[in-house]
Amino acid sequence: MSGRIRTPVDGVHHLAARNAEVLGALPVAAADRAAAAGLPPWRAAEHLASRTLLRFLLRETGADAGDGPVGALPGGRPYLPGCPGLGVSLSHSSGWVAAAVGLGRDVGVDVQVPAAVGDRLLRLCCAPGDADVLSALPEAARRSGFARVFAVQEACVKAVGKGLSGRPWTVPVPLGARTGTWNGVHWSAPHDDHDGDAVPVACAWTAPAAPVPERVGRRGGP
């Protein structure tokens, strides 16, 4: 895999890659093939690539979940039935997929291939001054700048177990920022401008779950 695994904080890892690269280089689990059966070809490719990338990320970071199923909660949030202590997240966008894992905490990841964006969407998702800056940029720079903002917004609401219902456009993301916080969620959006194949990716994570205290046994006595 040519993508670089990023670890913005201990226990949180994320990775993005092209669908074709993932499916061409890595083995696909039988459970994932079974789950993708009957899906339209384009949707099956996204499904298989995202889960295959997740399994690779888990193996590489020492949290191998084997070939067990990747489940989905009622709201669509992925989880590993056999690994309740691991938070996971998946994303896909126009031939790219991303995966994230968090040890003992919830995570959200989002990949956004830059695309045309209208003025109305710019002003919905960005602060007024940032929207003005983006509107004045050349087309390619405007698309890329907005994709970075929206990737962070999506990652943040995924980290709290929501999608569009979490109103991602309300998450404040300063233009050009690489790290930040929102409602107790931390996020990272590394810039890979030196890599011509890179697309905007953001990862968000919650605080680690508090350890469950050991039960103190009651001593016998009169």
Side-chain angles (χ1 to χ4, degrees):
M1 294 294 300
S2 62
R4 178 156 61 101
I5 295 175
R6 295 187 179 272
T7 304
V9 67
D10 278 351
V12 174
H13 313 280
H14 66 95
L15 175 64
R18 293 180 183 273
N19 290 3
E21 181 183 7
V22 173
L23 297 178
L26 301 174
V28 176
D32 297 335
R33 288 196 185 278
L39 294 176
W42 64 270
R43 182 67 187 96
E46 289 180 341
H47 183 98
L48 293 174
S50 61
R51 283 150 182 79
T52 299
L53 186 67
L54 173 63
R55 294 182 192 279
F56 172 78
L57 180 61
L58 288 166
R59 290 193 299 270
E60 290 295 300
T61 57
D64 192 354
D67 291 335
V70 178
L73 296 174
R77 183 178 196 156
Y79 76 104
L80 300 175
C83 303
L86 286 175
V88 297
S89 183
L90 303 170
S91 179
H92 49 78
S93 175
S94 301
W96 281 77
V97 287
V101 58
L103 179 60
R105 63 178 95 207
D106 293 322
V107 292
V109 71
D110 197 70
V111 57
Q112 289 286 331
V113 173
V117 54
D119 186 69
R120 181 177 179 181
L121 188 57
L122 278 179
R123 298 192 180 281
L124 175 67
C125 297
C126 303
D130 289 346
D132 290 339
V133 170
L134 286 173
S135 294
L137 292 176
E139 179 67 15
R142 179 166 63 252
R143 292 185 180 195
S144 179
F146 178 78
R148 294 190 189 284
V149 169
F150 199 65
V152 171
Q153 293 173 328
E154 284 277 342
C156 285
V157 296
K158 286 182 178 182
V160 295
K162 299 180 181 180
L164 290 178
S165 65
R167 297 167 55 86
W169 52 88
T170 65
V171 178
V173 181
L175 193 61
R178 298 177 185 239
T179 60
T181 59
W182 166 75
N183 286 0
V185 172
H186 296 266
W187 58 263
S188 171
H191 293 189
D192 280 334
D193 293 332
H194 64 280
D195 185 347
D197 286 335
V199 297
V201 179
C203 183
W205 59 93
T206 62
V212 178
E214 295 183 6
R215 179 175 294 179
V216 178
R218 185 176 181 178
R219 294 183 180 180

